[in-house]
Structures are given as structure tokens and as C-alpha cells.
């Protein structure tokens, strides 16, 4: 049967779009290149400084608290190990916990804790006058605890003192030598009561 109805309509030739094909190829190549760069970049390592001991805000960095580690170069401003001498001349801006990778924002050139108007006071504390586990950089209240039979009442002499250092413990493991930083206005009172064994310290875990 022949006629107009039996004739198939001609199919137009498929239009080629070379511009879109080229764009797709470029996108594929670009994605592959970006992936390759990320893989290569993740393999780049830089020398950084990791903190090994707690350093309280205002404390000076010490050589024993620094160690060299190799970390991925992610663009974070980690302090390079080659800058450790400058770090030793600076102070912690915040309390830094062990295992922290040091960044530039964590250090300052001057310490308000060790500046004018502040004094270091050494305390020889007995068991029961200091908490166990007290460390350098902790914050404590320095409390006057009157001897038995005294009419005085306990009172806080320093509300938020920085523990500069903790010495060796006594034989029982509780008590020992502690150096704290307090205002010069209260340091004479702290020294007087410390000499008579009427000082205790209470840790402030939330004050970092």
C-alpha cells in the first residue's frame, strides 16, 4: 500500500554540539586535576610545635613543654618548630592543654600575670591544704584557714590565683611546695599566714 499515509517522515540529522562536549571534557579534567592537587597537598607535611605540658594563661613557655611534630599543611597558622626560640620568649594567652598544636593566636609577648602589681609567693602546704592532682597553670583560691582555737574566721585572700609551679609532693602524696601569683596588695598577708601554716588552696577547674 502506497500513499502519503504510508510514507515515513524524514528524521532530521542529529545536531552536534561541539561546544558542550568540550565543556564537559574540561569539567572532567578540572575535577580530576583538583582531586589530584588535594591528594598531593594532603601529603605535604610541615614541622609544627605541640604542647606536652599544661601551660596556664600568662605563664611563659618552657623548652620541656614543646616538642616537634610533622602535620599536614592545611593552611592553619601553626607555629613552626624553627620559631621555638621566639616561643620561649613569649607567654600563653590562654590555658593550653597537653597535645595542643600551637598557633600564633595562643601566644603573647607580655604577660599580665607576671607584670607590675603581681608577686610570686611560695607555699609549703600540708596534706589537706591542697587538692591532689594540682598542676602548673591551674587556677586556685588562696584561703586563710585559722589555727584551731583562733577566734578568726576563714576567708579568701586571693580569688583567682595562677599556679606558677608545683614542686615535689610529700611522702603521703598530698601537700607539697606550690608557687602562686597574687596581687602585691595581698602578697604580704599570704606570706604571713603561709609561714604559720594557715594557708590552703582550692582548685577552680572552670577558671582557665
Amino acid at each position: 500500500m502506497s500513499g502519503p499515509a504510508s510514507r515515513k517522515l524524514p528524521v532530521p540529522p542529529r545536531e552536534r554540539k561541539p561546544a558542550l562536549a568540550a565543556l564537559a571534557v574540561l569539567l572532567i579534567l578540572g575535577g580530576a586535576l583538583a582531586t589530584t592537587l588535594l591528594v598531593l597537598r594532603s601529603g605535604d607535611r610541615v614541622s609544627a610545635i605541640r604542647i606536652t605540658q599544661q601551660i596556664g594563661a600568662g605563664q611563659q613557655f618552657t623548652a620541656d613543654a614543646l616538642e616537634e611534630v610533622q602535620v599536614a599543611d592545611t593552611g592553619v597558622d601553626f607555629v613552626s618548630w624553627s620559631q621555638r626560640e621566639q616561643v620561649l620568649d613569649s607567654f600563653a594567652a590562654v590555658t593550653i592543654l597537653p597535645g595542643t598544636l600551637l598557633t600564633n593566636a595562643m601566644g603573647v609577648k607580655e604577660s599580665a600575670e607576671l607584670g607590675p602589681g603581681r608577686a610570686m609567693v611560695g607555699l609549703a602546704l600540708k596534706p589537706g591544704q591542697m587538692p591532689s592532682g594540682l598542676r602548673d597553670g591551674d587556677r586556685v583560691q588562696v584561703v586563710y584557714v585559722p589555727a584551731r582555737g583562733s577566734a578568726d574566721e576563714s576567708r579568701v585572700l586571693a580569688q583567682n590565683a595562677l599556679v606558677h609551679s608545683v614542686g615535689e609532693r610529700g611522702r603521703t602524696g598530698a601537700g607539697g611546695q606550690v608557687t602562686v601569683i597574687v596581687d602585691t596588695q595581698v602578697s604580704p598577708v599570704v606570706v604571713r599566714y603561709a609561714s604559720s601554716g594557715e594557708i590552703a588552696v582550692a582548685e577552680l577547674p572552670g577558671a582557665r
Side-chain angles (χ1 to χ4, degrees):
M1 183 175 177
S2 61
S6 64
R7 295 177 183 175
K8 294 183 179 180
L9 296 175
V11 178
R14 183 174 299 174
E15 183 181 356
R16 299 182 180 274
K17 298 182 178 180
L20 291 178
L23 178 60
V25 172
L26 288 176
L27 289 175
I28 293 172
L29 293 176
L33 179 60
T35 302
T36 302
L37 288 175
L38 286 175
V39 171
L40 293 175
R41 186 64 180 271
S42 65
D44 291 343
R45 313 292 286 182
V46 295
S47 180
I49 295 175
R50 181 164 60 193
I51 301 300
T52 61
Q53 303 172 9
Q54 177 173 301
I55 303 176
Q59 280 192 300
Q60 189 168 5
F61 291 96
T62 63
D64 292 340
L66 310 180
E67 70 175 1
E68 181 182 10
V69 293
Q70 298 294 318
V71 298
D73 184 6
T74 58
V76 179
D77 63 338
F78 295 126
V79 180
S80 171
W81 179 251
S82 62
Q83 297 176 298
R84 60 189 179 278
E85 293 300 327
Q86 294 95 306
V87 172
L88 295 177
D89 290 332
S90 61
F91 304 83
V94 295
T95 295
I96 307 175
L97 299 179
T100 302
L101 293 176
L102 190 65
T103 65
N104 289 311
M106 296 179 184
V108 291
K109 286 298 183 182
E110 297 181 359
S111 170
E113 293 289 344
L114 300 176
R118 310 289 283 174
M120 287 187 186
V121 178
L123 308 175
L125 302 177
K126 301 175 183 178
Q129 293 181 327
M130 64 179 288
S132 60
L134 195 66
R135 299 178 298 175
D136 299 1
D138 283 343
R139 294 280 175 172
V140 296
Q141 284 183 333
V142 180
V143 183
Y144 164 56
V145 182
R148 291 183 180 180
S150 173
D152 291 343
E153 295 183 356
S154 300
R155 66 179 186 273
V156 176
L157 302 178
Q159 181 64 42
N160 192 333
L162 174 67
V163 176
H164 185 265
S165 63
V166 178
E168 295 184 0
R169 303 278 178 171
R171 293 182 179 178
T172 61
Q177 298 287 333
V178 178
T179 300
V180 296
I181 300 175
V182 298
D183 290 337
T184 53
Q185 295 178 348
V186 301
S187 58
V189 179
V190 173
V191 170
R192 175 158 58 91
Y193 288 138
S195 64
S196 60
E198 297 176 293
I199 287 289
V201 297
E203 186 178 1
L204 302 172
R208 297 292 186 187

